[in-house]
Amino acid sequence: YKRQVSTQSTGTMTSEKELMLQGKPYWGGDTQLAAERLRARELLYELNHSKPSETELRTKILKSLIGKFGEGCFIEPPFFCDYGEHIELGDGSYMNFNCVILDCNTVKIGKDCFFGPNVSLYAATHPTDPVERGSAATCRELAKPITIGNNVWLGGGVTVVPGVTIGDGVTVAAGSVVTKDVPAYVVVAGNPARIIKHLPKPTDNSHHQ
């Protein structure tokens, strides 16, 4: 099954992948998307079954898998994602064991970010109306981008839902569920995550000390 949508303005055809990245309803069983997910799973299998000593191999796999893999980044296997190519990981960022990124839309992560174990970023979502949602075989899926700034720390077990933006310098307490945008330089905690502390914004001089 491969559905393409004609746009009246240009007469061109919109692929399911384009619909997905535009945040519009799309068919996840599309042949192109299925092939791209399979490619990601093959690379993830290699990564997650590599030896701890095979650091160069792990880096090579991650650079093939992740759309933008910054300098000095490290991801502890096991790691899981849908496509990989829609993920951007800034320089010096680190992910601990068992992180999951459902990158059906873009997931942008800034520089020097720390992820504890079992952190989950979910760009994927579904209609809340059960009739519209339908069955797994017929459901039209949705996806919204996630953006995380620089110097962000997500504690263990944090979940970030579709469409959320987290500003620079944020700390998210372990086990929190982030359901709405978070401004820069705060600490948030809870389900749903709420601001519990405001942090001083570093000056240029203090940042480089």
Side-chain angles (χ1 to χ4, degrees), residues 38 41 59 68 100 125 130 147 196:
L38 179 60
R41 279 157 176 70
T59 299
K68 180 180 178 183
V100 176
T125 185
T147 302
I196 61 171

Side-chain angles (χ1 to χ4, degrees), residues 22-45:
Q22 291 169 8
K24 298 176 181 179
Y26 71 97
W27 170 240
D30 171 70
T31 302
Q32 177 187 4
L33 294 178
E36 292 180 4
R37 288 195 302 272
L38 179 60
R39 174 187 180 274
R41 279 157 176 70
E42 295 283 2
L43 289 170
L44 288 167
Y45 182 89

Side-chain angles (χ1 to χ4, degrees), residues 34-129:
E36 292 180 4
R37 288 195 302 272
L38 179 60
R39 174 187 180 274
R41 279 157 176 70
E42 295 283 2
L43 289 170
L44 288 167
Y45 182 89
E46 292 182 43
L47 174 69
N48 293 335
H49 289 80
S50 62
K51 295 179 180 179
S53 59
E54 295 178 316
T55 53
E56 291 185 5
L57 174 62
R58 288 182 171 184
T59 299
K60 181 180 178 180
I61 294 169
L62 286 166
K63 286 184 176 180
S64 297
L65 174 67
I66 304 298
K68 180 180 178 183
F69 191 73
E71 293 297 321
C73 290
F74 193 80
I75 297 176
E76 296 275 10
F79 169 70
F80 305 95
C81 64
D82 271 333
Y83 298 93
E85 66 178 292
H86 307 137
I87 301 170
E88 295 183 12
L89 189 60
D91 296 347
S93 289
Y94 170 83
M95 293 184 186
N96 213 320
F97 304 111
N98 213 41
C99 287
V100 176
I101 302 179
L102 302 186
D103 60 316
C104 303
N105 207 314
T106 55
V107 176
K108 297 181 180 180
I109 300 162
K111 298 179 181 179
D112 300 318
C113 290
F114 296 166
F115 285 21
N118 300 302
V119 167
S120 299
L121 309 182
Y122 299 149
T125 185
H126 299 278
T128 54
D129 184 320

